[in-house]
Amino acid sequence: RKIQPPIHLPIYWSQDRYAVTLRLGFSTNQFPSRTIRVKVVGALKYEDRHSAVGSGSMMTDYISKQKDGDNPSFGSVTIVSTSGSDQETVLFSGSLPRPIHLNQDEDEVEFEIENSGITNDNDTAKEFYCDRFVSITMPKAVPMHGLVLWWDCPIISFPKIDVSSIQDRHVPTHSLGSEAKSSSISKDTAKKEAFQKAWDEAHEMFREKMKKKEKQEI
């Protein structure tokens, strides 16, 4: 199968105490949703989620064989678009900086195709108008039960954030009881609004970048 080199699309990431989510924007005019495939390699089994490197799982061998520069890789994420001509276009590919695990009773990390909520008001070229994004939620694996690890980046090559600035970082696990549950709906709404704002800003920057690129090519 012929594989085309990766292309550059806007990508957004977020995390909570238990999982990291990647969202990759794409245009259905260029890559129809039905052609999108996601492959996540190196995820621990659900029963190994609190032992980080697993108990004889595939993660142990994977870490020993994979490296991204000077950093060990705990797996990889690849997003492709397939075509009828038996060809794959790589939309995104990267190595994970920390271990993840599968959900209970699942054999692979699942993904969703979601509406970006963006309207093409600025007459952006159809192939650059990101009307959908691939959403991949990857549960965090930890060395022991009750431990919370905040990631400073979702992919090894990404810029790192200051995890000390994360608001929930200093909230003890035992305090997340009924009060946290009662406010979960409002928090979810706030997260969605924050994501939509960040996505709109990122997409606007991406469109400006594409406009400059088009002018240079002309």
Side-chain angles (χ1 to χ4, degrees):
R1 173 174 290 188
K2 185 178 180 182
I3 300 178
Q4 298 291 341
I7 62 175
H8 299 289
L9 293 171
I11 190 165
Y12 170 90
W13 77 282
S14 62
Q15 67 177 316
D16 57 24
R17 299 169 71 88
Y18 309 106
V20 171
T21 300
L22 280 177
R23 289 184 171 94
L24 179 76
F26 67 98
S27 169
T28 52
N29 291 301
Q30 190 174 11
F31 307 109
S33 296
R34 66 178 180 278
T35 69
I36 302 299
R37 303 288 184 271
V38 173
K39 183 178 182 181
V40 179
V41 176
L44 289 168
K45 296 178 181 178
Y46 179 75
E47 54 266 29
D48 289 333
R49 66 194 184 281
H50 295 146
S51 56
V53 295
S55 54
S57 70
M58 63 184 292
M59 176 62 80
T60 305
D61 291 335
Y62 194 89
I63 295 173
S64 64
K65 297 176 182 178
Q66 304 295 320
K67 276 206 169 187
D68 193 323
D70 295 326
N71 301 300
S73 171
F74 291 87
S76 64
V77 180
T78 304
I79 304 173
V80 303
S81 175
T82 61
S83 67
S85 58
D86 198 32
Q87 177 176 293
E88 287 184 350
T89 299
V90 180
L91 307 185
F92 174 80
S93 182
S95 300
L96 298 170
R98 291 185 178 276
I100 62 171
H101 69 83
L102 299 171
N103 285 318
Q104 191 171 15
D105 300 323
E106 291 185 357
D107 297 324
E108 58 185 13
V109 176
E110 295 186 346
F111 69 94
E112 295 180 324
I113 303 296
E114 301 176 350
N115 193 322
S116 69
I118 298 173
T119 56
N120 191 10
D121 297 328
N122 297 327
D123 296 324
T124 304
K126 288 184 178 181
E127 62 269 25
F128 300 130
Y129 165 50
C130 296
D131 57 333
R132 296 288 188 277
F133 53 80
V134 189
S135 178
I136 312 168
T137 299
M138 300 174 290
K140 299 175 181 177
V142 293
M144 61 182 292
H145 179 70
L147 181 66
V148 175
L149 291 178
W150 294 101
W151 292 22
D152 56 8
C153 64
I155 299 295
I156 288 178
S157 61
F158 278 32
K160 294 183 178 182
I161 65 169
D162 179 7
V163 296
S164 64
S165 64
I166 299 176
Q167 185 175 359
D168 292 339
R169 182 172 180 265
H170 302 291
V171 179
T173 303
H174 59 75
S175 70
L176 300 179
S178 58
E179 292 183 3
K181 291 181 180 179
S182 64
S183 62
S184 61
I185 295 178
S186 59
K187 286 184 177 180
D188 287 343
T189 301
K191 285 182 178 180
K192 290 180 180 178
E193 291 177 351
F195 165 72
Q196 187 63 55
K197 181 180 179 181
W199 178 260
D200 290 342
E201 292 175 352
H203 189 66
E204 182 62 30
M205 292 174 64
F206 180 74
R207 285 190 291 194
E208 290 298 323
K209 181 179 179 180
M210 288 302 101
K211 286 180 181 179
K212 293 180 181 179
K213 183 178 179 181
E214 290 174 353
K215 290 179 180 180
Q216 291 175 355
E217 290 178 350
I218 293 174

